[in-house]
């Protein structure tokens, strides 16, 4: 193979890797359309002069601009979340990761805004405003806001407000740009909103529907602030993804236990992590590799740990990070829901059932060794919420519970073990047609029962 073709293949592989796919940017502004996301046109920047102008003015500051749709229908702004839309002469903007609203700004002041942001880099703006609000007589302390000119002497007065909800999740629901965003993103957004309501977190976390944020093939995509972590390939069928997103968003804002400082913590859901605000592609990939290394190390440690020291997806032994924010109940409910379609498997209940060692390997080559029971299916292992099996649980959805209706239990089993498996039935063959990344070694995990001759079998997991 020639060097040039290797280089182009390497480049293609790099472009297709989800980790490192977040474009470099430093800040993010949301501007409101005043119309529901389902009615957004394909390219709003071509039809909305304010979005176009704002994007142009702040481009030099590496600021990303998107539409959102939380608008006050009568422009009275009585609703707490309402934003003045681009229909009128004045607009409201939300700025991340600073978590600040610019209220009633005219398009004539967009250039002032750009200059103001340049003078107040990320990390300095909010503390500056907090100080101003506490010290100046012009501050409206009740709403944590202050009225001021962004450029002294400009005559353009705006209200700057500190957003009270400490964290936010932005979900791309831009269906006219990509139907996957509209359908899957819309559904994922609904799950997040329901979860925030059900857990009483409305004062802690804000969910925004936003226009296209890039990366069709990874839809639905989310961005959480203040960490600025991007995730893609989220599943609307499994609220576990939503719990991870909400929890990490809260943790990065210091709301939940296990407080993380912005930019200092490792990303979660690393297989679906796209990248982070403020980092180049190379820096994102470096961080990804570092997290993989840590996971490998943890995997080795877990193999030597006794069962009396369980590991959780969310917490260190003895900690319960969901305790304080109400997500624990939601997580339990989701687990119960996931169990519903799963048929009972009598063999797995026996305490004296013979065991064999099965090794699960993610596409990043992270291995988890499982003490599997003879007779249980790979699906049973995945659906078992035993924390010692959590590395596997995270990787396979098994959505239909073994009814041969989804192919989300797709795994690869290579020689010599493939030949020891029972033959592929017509029904399994039909469903394997839908498996993403099907190979010669593909099988459906719900159709494979563990047998003694499988001792040491490696079950490889596909990327998605
Ligand atoms: S779990 Fe759906 S086909 Fe196997």
């Amino acid at each position: 193979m020639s060097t040039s073709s290797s280089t182009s293949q390497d480049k293609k592989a790099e472009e297709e890797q989800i980790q490192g796919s977040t474009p470099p940017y430093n800040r993010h502004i949301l501007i409101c359309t005043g119309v529901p996301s389902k009615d957004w046109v394909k390219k709003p920047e071509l039809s909305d002069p304010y979005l176009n102008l704002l994007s142009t003015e702040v481009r030099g500051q590496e600021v990303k601009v998107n539409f959102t749709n939380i608008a006050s229908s009568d422009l009275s702004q009585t609703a707490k979340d309402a934003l003045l839309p681009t229909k009128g002469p004045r607009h409201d903007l939300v700025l991340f990761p600073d978590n600040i609203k610019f209220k009633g700004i005219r398009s004539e002041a967009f250039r002032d805004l750009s200059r103001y942001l340049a003078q107040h880099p990320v990390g300095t703006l909010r503390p500056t405003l907090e100080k101003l609000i506490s010290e100046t007589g012009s501050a409206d302390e009740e709403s944590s806001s202050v009225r001021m000119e962004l450029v002294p002497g400009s005559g353009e007065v705006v209200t700057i407000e500190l957003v009270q909800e400490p964290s936010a999740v932005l979900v791309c629901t831009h269906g006219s740009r990509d139907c996957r965003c509209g359908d899957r993103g819309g559904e994922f957004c609904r799950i997040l909103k329901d979860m925030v309501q059900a857990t009483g977190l409305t004062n802690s976390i804000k969910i925004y529907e936003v226009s296209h944020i890039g990366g069709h093939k990874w839809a639905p995509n989310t961005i959480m602030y203040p960490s600025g972590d991007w995730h893609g390939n989220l599943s609307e069928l499994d609220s576990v993804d939503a719990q991870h997103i909400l929890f990490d968003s809260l943790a990065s804002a210091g709301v939940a236990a296990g407080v993380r400082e912005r930019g200092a913590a490792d990303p979660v859901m690393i297989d679906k992590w796209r990248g982070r605000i403020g980092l180049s592609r190379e820096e994102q990939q470096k961080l990804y590799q570092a997290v993989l290394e840590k996971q490998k190390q943890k995997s080795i440690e877990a193999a030597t740990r006794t069962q009396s020291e369980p590991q959780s997806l969310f917490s260190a032994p003895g900690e319960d990070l969901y305790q304080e924010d109400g997500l624990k109940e939601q997580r339990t409910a989701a687990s119960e829901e996931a169990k519903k379609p799963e048929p009972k498997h009598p063999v797995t209940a026996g305490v004296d059932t013979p065991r064999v060692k099965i090794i699960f390997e993610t596409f990043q080559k992270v291995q988890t060794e499982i003490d599997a029971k003879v007779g249980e299916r790979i699906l049973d292992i995945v659906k078992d919420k035993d924390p010692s099996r959590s590395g596997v649980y995270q990787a396979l959805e098994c959505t239909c519970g073994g009814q041969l209706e989804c192919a989300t239990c797709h795994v690869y089993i290579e020689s010599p073990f493939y030949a020891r498996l029972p033959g592929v039935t017509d029904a399994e063959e039909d469903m394997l047609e839908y498996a993403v990344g099907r190979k010669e070694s593909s099988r459906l995990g719900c159709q494979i029962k563990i047998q003694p001759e499988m001792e040491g079998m490696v079950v490889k997991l596909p990327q998605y």
Side-chain angles (χ1 to χ4, degrees), residues 379 398-409 431 444-447:
L379 174 144
C398 299
T399 307
C400 77
Q403 307 300 311
L404 281 173
E405 292 172 354
C406 71
T408 58
C409 58
M431 196 43 60
L444 294 182
C446 64
Q447 302 303 303

Side-chain angles (χ1 to χ4, degrees), residues 400-436:
C400 77
Q403 307 300 311
L404 281 173
E405 292 172 354
C406 71
T408 58
C409 58
H410 177 211
V411 296
Y412 304 116
I413 297 184
E414 291 166 357
S415 202
F417 293 99
Y418 188 91
R420 298 179 197 171
L421 302 177
V424 180
T425 63
D426 288 348
E428 183 180 352
E429 178 58 37
D430 285 350
M431 196 43 60
L432 274 169
E433 293 291 322
Y434 296 94
V436 177

Side-chain angles (χ1 to χ4, degrees), residues 373-403:
K373 300 163 193 164
V374 170
E376 72 176 334
R377 300 164 298 174
I378 287 176
L379 174 144
D380 298 317
I381 298 171
V382 171
K383 286 293 185 184
D384 190 337
K385 301 303 190 293
D386 179 340
S388 68
R389 297 176 167 195
S390 62
V392 180
Y393 166 63
Q394 205 174 7
L396 290 179
E397 291 182 13
C398 299
T399 307
C400 77
Q403 307 300 311

Side-chain angles (χ1 to χ4, degrees), residues 139-377:
D140 174 356
E141 290 187 28
E142 206 167 89
S143 62
S144 296
S145 63
V146 61
R147 279 180 61 75
M148 58 182 279
E149 292 173 328
L150 295 174
V151 173
S154 66
E156 293 288 344
V157 178
V158 298
T159 300
I160 308 179
E161 181 182 297
L162 305 177
V163 177
Q164 295 307 303
E165 296 91 349
S167 65
V169 179
L170 284 51
V171 186
C172 176
T173 58
H174 197 164
S176 65
R177 190 69 176 265
D178 186 324
C179 62
R180 285 167 293 190
C181 301
D183 296 342
R184 301 185 67 197
E187 179 62 10
F188 192 73
C189 194
R190 185 194 61 73
I191 290 172
L192 286 175
K193 285 178 177 173
D194 286 353
M195 227 175 244
V196 167
Q197 285 288 340
T199 50
L201 291 168
T202 49
N203 290 328
S204 299
I205 192 162
K206 184 111 202 62
I207 310 293
Y208 291 92
E209 292 186 42
V210 298
S211 56
H212 190 59
I213 57 179
H216 294 276
K217 59 188 167 213
W218 296 299
N221 290 295
T222 66
I223 307 174
M224 62 173 84
Y225 289 111
S227 69
D229 280 328
W230 290 38
H231 287 85
N233 287 330
L234 298 164
S235 169
E236 77 278 26
L237 300 172
D238 188 344
S239 60
V240 172
D241 275 359
Q243 291 172 45
H244 276 285
I245 292 286
L246 289 183
F247 177 76
D248 200 53
S249 174
L250 289 168
S252 69
V255 175
V259 175
R260 302 159 25 137
E261 288 188 18
R262 181 182 172 274
D266 290 339
V268 294
M269 298 172 66
I270 194 69
D271 57 324
K272 299 181 179 187
W273 183 71
R274 292 190 53 187
R276 178 175 288 176
I277 190 172
L279 299 184
S280 66
R281 173 187 279 269
E282 291 70 32
E283 288 169 330
Q284 292 168 38
Q285 289 178 338
K286 207 170 155 191
L287 177 55
Y288 168 63
Q289 292 300 335
V291 175
L292 275 191
E293 269 310 307
K294 284 186 195 171
Q295 288 187 347
K296 272 186 199 165
Q297 195 55 40
K298 267 180 140 178
S299 185
I300 293 166
E301 288 167 12
T304 56
R305 198 174 285 134
T306 64
Q307 287 200 336
S308 62
E309 297 173 320
Q311 292 296 292
S312 158
L313 277 175
F314 305 95
S315 60
E319 288 180 336
D320 188 343
L321 302 185
Y322 282 103
Q323 200 78 46
E324 292 179 14
D325 57 40
L327 284 175
K328 184 181 182 185
E329 290 73 14
Q330 197 67 40
R331 181 185 175 201
T332 306
S335 298
E336 290 305 316
E337 189 60 32
K339 282 178 182 168
K340 273 186 188 168
E342 183 185 355
K344 290 267 180 279
H345 202 281
V347 179
T348 61
V351 289
D352 297 326
T353 307
R355 310 277 183 142
V356 294
K357 180 177 78 176
I358 301 292
I359 299 153
F360 286 80
E361 183 180 293
T362 68
F363 75 97
Q364 303 112 320
K365 309 283 181 214
V366 177
Q367 292 194 340
T368 305
E369 195 175 300
I370 299 292
D371 193 21
K373 300 163 193 164
V374 170
E376 72 176 334
R377 300 164 298 174

